[in-house]
Amino acid sequence: MNLDTRLLWFNGLLFPVVVWSGVRPHDYPTWWLEASPVLLGIGLILWFQKRFPLSTLLLAGIWLHFVILLVGAHYTYAEVPLFDWIADQAGTTRNNYDKVGHFAQGFVPAFLAREILLRCSPLGDVGKGRPSAWLPFLVTCVCLAFSAFYELIKWAVALVAGDGSDAFLGTQGYVWDTQSDMGFALIGAIVALTFFRGAHDSSLAKITAA
């Protein structure tokens, strides 16, 4: 599958999700806050593909992450129906869809950071020897930094919007929400680096050989 075909599939499968997400969401200010990373990300991918083609595994991960974000943008992370049902079945009151989003916030950026560092830094070139032993540690640090930066954005929105930011923050009264969000991002990064490293290497080798 050539690069242009991959982008057609990526955007063609994502477009209906964007449209669905933007039709009568919970509220439009929250939708824009939650969906803006997707809209920005689409532009960055188009820019990257002309200069730095991303691996198919990474593109698939980004697509899935975008879908997770768009579902959260439509319902808000505290009111996704499936996770309301799960909470009811488990006898709890908290909708934990946001933890899926934060797991993805570590899982997918781990591939992105790893791919960029492998291709653009001295940490190791694909197919030319063993990557540096520092690579997993530094990738994990990048993922945690990204998660922390997102929490700072949420804090800034809360300062500006006050009570109007409740749907975006989605803490649901949980005092340790910020810390647990970062914890799930850390778990996502560790899972990606531990169990999917070989699949990522294979996917990356195909794109660099193209």
Side-chain angles (χ1 to χ4, degrees), residues 102 104-118 121 123 134-151 182 185-186 188-190 193:
H102 284 282
Q105 192 183 70
F107 185 81
V108 178
F111 293 127
L112 177 60
R114 187 173 187 270
E115 194 155 313
I116 291 174
L117 289 173
L118 279 171
S121 80
L123 291 173
W134 283 97
L135 183 63
F137 172 74
L138 293 175
V139 168
T140 303
C141 288
V142 169
C143 293
L144 279 175
F146 180 77
S147 179
F149 178 68
Y150 185 74
E151 296 301 326
M182 294 180 65
L186 174 61
I190 292 172
L193 295 171

Side-chain angles (χ1 to χ4, degrees), residues 20-124:
W20 165 82
S21 178
V23 174
R24 300 176 64 184
H26 179 272
D27 66 83
Y28 277 104
T30 300
W31 187 88
W32 279 108
L33 287 169
E34 300 286 10
S36 56
V38 175
L39 305 178
L40 176 63
I42 293 172
L44 287 174
I45 287 171
L46 294 174
W47 182 85
F48 261 114
Q49 285 295 110
K50 293 181 179 180
R51 300 162 177 80
F52 188 86
L54 303 177
S55 68
T56 301
L57 178 65
L58 176 55
L59 282 176
I62 292 173
W63 184 90
L64 180 59
H65 194 185
F66 283 178
V67 170
I68 292 171
L69 291 171
L70 290 167
V71 171
H74 182 80
Y75 294 111
T76 80
Y77 281 84
E79 299 184 29
V80 174
L82 174 61
F83 281 75
D84 277 341
W85 177 82
I86 292 173
D88 290 341
Q89 295 299 308
T92 63
T93 58
R94 194 182 196 282
N95 185 308
N96 283 307
Y97 183 76
D98 65 320
K99 301 311 176 193
V100 175
H102 284 282
F103 177 89
Q105 192 183 70
F107 185 81
V108 178
F111 293 127
L112 177 60
R114 187 173 187 270
E115 194 155 313
I116 291 174
L117 289 173
L118 279 171
R119 298 179 71 176
C120 301
S121 80
L123 291 173

